[in-house]
Amino acid sequence: MRIARFSAGDDPRYAAVEGEPGAEVLAVLDGDPLYRQVQLTGERLPLADVRLLAPVIPRSKVIGIGRNYAEHAAELGNEVPDEPLVFLKPNTSVVGPGDGIVHPPQTSDLQYEGELAAVIGRICRHVPAERAAEVVFGYTIGNDVTARDLQRSDKQWTRAKGFDTFCPLGPWIDTSLDVSDLAVTTTVGGEVRQSGRTSQMIHDVPSLISYVSSFMTLLPGDVILTGTPAGVGPMRVGEEVSVTVEGLGTLTNRVIGHG
């Protein structure tokens, strides 16, 4: 099932996404499916008539994984870490499909990082890798926007990855996707900049969930960004950036000025 969060001019609501690409219809749900059983209201809306929002707003945290593709680590001159390299992005960095990525004045090197994102479905701690699927609500697409120059100068990543709008998520959550070998592609202005596969991850999704949950409690709605393939690079004001995950969809945002 694909779950979207949307607005039709009123408060955010949730819906199951039905139909083929370009002709999707939203079957509206009663409440938030993260916290209650899926129940249809009977209302149906064409996707074209609503505004999609970030499919989840983490009440707790967004967990990023750095250097989880060997070629990406190499392109930035870094070694592959022995264990997952974990960082946090605040939930205030989350925006949805079509929302602007604000280019802050503090950086002159704003970069995209297209990624598969896992959404946690229940409270968990010390999850064995072989049981990780039990705690995953579903998967969506993320763009781990990074001020690369601040990442280098600060020697840690909080500011470089934590600005408002630096975590676009969407377009929806797929609750039944096999993510073991999916194409991950990022385009800027229609030109392909990143092209990788989730099978190239150094640490796969079950391993990441097991590792992160070994030292912090994961809560419903927490998002784990699973790392980005090689090909990261700059994006500038006015450029449209799209991240596509095979079988999941495309997340598109435009870079806008800070004024």
Side-chain angles (χ1 to χ4, degrees), residues 10-243:
D10 48 12
D11 291 337
R13 292 186 286 167
Y14 295 85
V17 183
E18 302 174 350
E20 298 300 315
E24 293 95 346
V25 174
L26 301 185
V28 180
L29 301 178
D30 183 15
D32 184 343
L34 258 175
Y35 299 97
R36 61 188 305 173
Q37 187 174 1
V38 170
Q39 183 174 348
L40 297 171
T41 65
E43 183 180 3
R44 296 172 65 83
L45 299 168
L47 178 61
D49 291 351
V50 307
R51 177 190 172 205
L52 287 181
L53 308 173
V56 61
I57 298 293
R59 297 184 180 183
S60 175
K61 52 193 172 290
V62 178
I63 301 142
I65 305 296
R67 305 172 190 169
N68 200 28
Y69 289 74
E71 290 185 4
H72 167 60
E75 72 180 347
L76 297 182
N78 298 311
E79 295 183 355
V80 173
D82 293 331
E83 296 182 311
L85 180 57
V86 179
F87 59 92
L88 297 176
K89 293 172 79 86
N91 57 8
T92 49
S93 67
V94 172
V95 292
D99 289 337
I101 298 170
V102 177
H103 193 306
Q106 294 95 327
T107 181
S108 58
D109 190 10
L110 189 67
Q111 298 197 3
Y112 54 83
E113 293 190 9
E115 313 198 5
L116 173 74
V119 181
I120 300 300
R122 64 178 178 86
I123 298 174
C124 58
R125 180 82 196 276
H126 299 299
V127 181
E130 61 271 17
R131 299 189 61 183
E134 298 175 21
V135 306
V136 175
F137 178 72
Y139 296 92
T140 190
I141 302 170
N143 186 348
D144 177 22
V145 178
T146 304
R148 195 71 68 196
D149 48 354
L150 302 185
Q151 186 181 28
R152 290 189 294 264
S153 64
D154 288 358
K155 308 302 182 185
Q156 52 84 30
W157 300 2
T158 302
R159 183 167 66 129
K161 291 176 175 286
F163 282 88
D164 291 357
T165 76
F166 271 27
C167 189
L169 296 175
W172 40 63
I173 296 169
D174 193 311
T175 62
S176 58
L177 192 66
D178 179 357
V179 300
S180 57
D181 185 27
L182 300 177
V184 180
T185 306
T186 302
T187 65
V188 178
E191 178 185 343
V192 175
R193 301 286 181 85
Q194 289 184 288
S195 181
R197 302 195 68 86
T198 56
S199 56
Q200 297 170 327
M201 289 182 187
I202 298 165
H203 305 285
D204 62 13
V205 174
S207 298
L208 295 176
I209 291 172
S210 180
Y211 182 79
V212 172
S213 69
S214 72
F215 61 87
M216 69 171 72
T217 299
L218 297 175
L219 303 179
D222 282 354
V223 173
I224 299 179
L225 301 173
T226 60
T228 195
V232 298
M235 52 184 183
R236 299 175 176 84
V237 172
E239 292 184 322
E240 188 175 81
V241 182
S242 295
V243 183

